[in-house]
């Protein structure tokens, strides 16, 4: 039975994270500081003033830990060491300190579901053999079949193939992702103690929070039962699985919240939790657990007024009982960039952005979306590095398309990314999309983001909240009011719509014709109004 939780907020807290705009930096693709073609911490540090000028509140750094890079750093060999490709621990400290001087907070990625097969614990487990204490920290099992030649159960890896790999002594170990990423056994006290220690290590260095990778996956169903169905991946959006969203994860996050609350400055944790419903996501955000969770239900919604309204209402309704802010996100390092994914090109992407930033709660911006970058869909096979690309089944293996390094300046690649090229090739037509080209151009997507984020900080009708008031609007148009005198209208159709002007236009994602006191809302356009 799920325990009840007090949802009364602490009046002494500022709640900075309730309306924060958090910018995701994918380190290898953000900026290259040493000219080797790979982004790094020195590059990030040099571009922090850009992020301050953009108007974000916090910066989330994807993994930079010591790693063999079998899965772009999500296979961690040492959680307290920086991978040399990104720099040193001193570089990480400098990024944190510089960010704080600029008024930016730093959130780091934490990968607790699995580690690298080069992690000291796993290597010790392999060396010490069956029955050893070291193996108890992972999921080692005997195989099925006459000679143990079959995996212990029928679970499949999300990267394709069985979720089990056999070692020379005959036992099998569990990995929900790549074979190089063995899953921790979170029933073991040593695993729980180690991650509380890792939290304190980074909190002592001054980080403001953690993005928790695969937050829904740490605890597996007792006995590791078979799925009993052939197509496991199709179930991810319809029901809990024996390896995902088990109720036991909540005790882990209550213990983490105790650690976070030991530190001044409202340190937070953000869950990457793929759950069947928004209500299940809300369970991770009770007041003594985590602070935020990514809103994948909204991210997966198409550009359709009815679907969007349903997703917005469901998201706000689910978060309200636990007192947590709703989060909104359109792109990240694992999905097709929304300019491409939503169809409709840049106009639709800009409209989707203004709609998202008008909603109550916190918003996440993925690096490059402020430049209007499209997905790079024509990367040759020989340059791809997504591990699932090299497997026959599983994910589509095309995540490299959203990870192409950013264009900063100039007329040709690498567009100011660094002096040594870029680890993934940049398109030849990106010169108009650079930061340099867009800065100062009032029609550019970069200046639209800067204007929108400035208004989020200054206008009382934007930012934190837990509800919207829906207004009458033509079919295919969303219109809502926020307390504080702001109205948002968004046309998701392919045709213009005529509406009464609800006030003075503050910001529009496109041109806004006015006719006889009414206004014409063009297709794929969002407008903010002040009543």
């Amino acid at each position: 039975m799920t325990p009840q939780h007090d949802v009364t907020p602490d009046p002494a807290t500022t709640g900075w994270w309730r309306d924060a705009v958090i910018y995701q930096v994918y380190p290898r693709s953000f900026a290259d500081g040493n000219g080797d073609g790979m982004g790094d911490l020195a590059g990030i540090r040099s571009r922090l003033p850009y992020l301050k000028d953009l108007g974000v509140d916090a910066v989330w750094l994807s993994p930079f830990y010591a790693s063999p890079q079998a899965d772009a750093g999500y296979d961690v060999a040492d959680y307290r060491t920086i991978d040399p490709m990104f720099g040193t621990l001193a570089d990480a400290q400098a990024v944190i300190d510089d960010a704080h001087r600029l008024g930016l907070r730093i959130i780091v990625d934490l990968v607790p579901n699995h580690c690298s097969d080069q992690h000291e614990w796993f290597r010790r487990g392999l060396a010490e053999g069956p029955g050893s204490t070291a193996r108890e920290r992972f999921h080692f099992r005997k195989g099925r079949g006459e000679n143990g030649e079959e995996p212990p159960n029928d679970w499949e890896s999300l990267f394709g193939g069985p979720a089990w790999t056999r070692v020379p002594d005959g036992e099998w170990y569990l990995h929900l992702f790549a074979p190089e990423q063995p899953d921790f056994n979170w029933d073991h006290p040593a695993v729980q103690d180690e991650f509380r220690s890792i939290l304190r290590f980074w909190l002592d260095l001054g980080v403001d929070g953690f993005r928790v990778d695969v937050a829904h996956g740490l605890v597996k169903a007792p006995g590791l039962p078979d799925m009993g169905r052939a197509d496991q991946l199709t179930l991810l959006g319809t029901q809990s699985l024996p390896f995902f969203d088990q109720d036991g994860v909540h005790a882990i996050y209550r213990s983490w919240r105790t650690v976070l609350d030991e530190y001044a400055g409202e340190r937070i944790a953000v869950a990457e939790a793929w759950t069947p419903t928004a209500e299940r996501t809300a369970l991770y955000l009770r007041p003594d657990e985590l602070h935020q969770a990514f809103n994948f239900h909204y991210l997966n919604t198409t550009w359709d007024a009815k679907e969007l309204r349903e997703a917005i209402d469901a998201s706000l309704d689910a978060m309200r009982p636990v007192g947590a802010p709703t989060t909104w996100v359109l792109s990240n390092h694992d999905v097709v960039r929304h300019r491409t994914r939503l169809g409709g090109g840049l106009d639709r992407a800009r409209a989707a952005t203004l709609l998202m930033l008008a909603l109550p709660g916190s918003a996440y911006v993925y690096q490059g979306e402020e430049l209007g970058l499209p997905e790079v869909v024509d990367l040759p096979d020989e340059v791809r590095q997504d591990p699932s690309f090299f497997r026959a089944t599983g994910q589509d293996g095309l995540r490299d398309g959203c990870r192409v390094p950013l264009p900063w300046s100039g007329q040709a690649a690498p567009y100011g990314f660094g002096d040594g090229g870029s680890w993934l090739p940049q398109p030849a037509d990106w010169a108009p999309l650079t930061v340099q080209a867009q800065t100062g151009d009032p029609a550019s997507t970069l200046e639209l983001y800067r204007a929108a984020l400035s208004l989020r900080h200054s206008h009382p009708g934007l930012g934190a909240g837990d509800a919207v008031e829906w207004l009458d609007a033509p079919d295919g148009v969303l219109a809502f009011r926020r307390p504080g005198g702001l109205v948002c209208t968004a046309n998701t159709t392919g045709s213009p719509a005529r509406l009464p002007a609800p006030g003075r236009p503050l910001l529009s994602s496109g041109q806004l014709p006015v006719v006889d006191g009414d206004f014409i809302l063009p297709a794929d356009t969002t407008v903010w109004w002040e009543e």
Side-chain angles (χ1 to χ4, degrees), residues 37-61:
M38 184 72 66
D40 49 36
L41 290 170
I44 294 169
R45 186 183 181 192
S46 72
R47 299 294 187 176
L48 287 174
Y50 163 79
L51 297 178
K52 174 64 174 179
D53 182 60
L54 181 61
V56 301
D57 302 290
V59 181
W60 152 33
L61 303 176

Side-chain angles (χ1 to χ4, degrees), residues 114-197:
H114 49 263
C115 64
S116 166
D117 60 358
Q118 300 303 304
H119 191 284
E120 177 188 359
W121 282 9
F122 190 74
R123 296 177 68 178
R124 189 187 313 163
L126 292 180
E128 294 182 4
S132 66
T133 300
R135 287 201 177 185
E136 293 175 358
R137 297 171 180 177
F138 301 91
H139 296 279
F140 278 91
R141 296 289 187 276
K142 294 181 179 178
R144 297 193 289 197
E146 183 176 352
N147 298 305
E149 69 275 9
E150 298 294 330
N153 67 21
D154 65 357
W155 295 2
E156 292 184 9
S157 162
L158 270 72
F159 285 172
W164 296 89
T165 289
R166 198 177 194 187
V167 299
D169 57 42
E171 286 199 331
W172 299 72
Y173 69 89
L174 176 68
H175 53 87
L176 293 183
F177 295 89
E180 297 88 350
Q181 295 170 290
D183 279 38
F184 284 114
N185 174 16
W186 272 88
D187 291 330
H188 198 288
V191 175
Q192 299 183 29
D193 290 344
E194 171 68 357
F195 273 89
R196 283 191 291 267
S197 174

